[in-house]
Amino acid sequence: EKAIWFWFAVLWHAIVDAVAVYVGQQISMVAVEGIVAVFAILSIALVIWLKRGFNDNAVMEAQIQPIETGAG
């Protein structure tokens, strides 16, 4: 599951880069800055939206497990 998020991040970064290069060649660098700012706002919104559905307690319960020593 973590690999999916990694590849999503790589794809998102590639899209931002491709759009920035294309707009920079076709329009202007000022337009590139505006578009990158829009991508940044969308990225922050996506993180906030995904965080709401994330249950911190479930992660903590999955990580905290008793250590079996074999003695006893």
Side-chain angles (χ1 to χ4, degrees):
E1 186 175 316
K2 290 180 183 181
I4 292 171
W5 290 111
F6 170 77
W7 289 112
F8 176 75
V10 169
L11 178 65
W12 183 252
H13 189 87
I15 291 169
V16 172
D17 285 348
V19 169
V21 169
Y22 179 76
V23 171
Q25 291 175 349
Q26 298 298 319
I27 303 175
S28 71
M29 291 309 290
V30 174
V32 170
E33 292 296 330
I35 290 174
V36 170
V38 169
F39 273 110
I41 291 168
L42 289 173
S43 296
I44 292 169
L46 180 63
V47 168
I48 292 169
W49 180 69
L50 289 172
K51 175 101 172 98
R52 272 194 279 162
F54 187 73
N55 186 352
D56 290 331
N57 293 333
V59 172
M60 291 301 292
E61 289 173 6
Q63 290 176 350
I64 300 174
Q65 297 176 2
I67 298 173
E68 295 182 22
T69 60

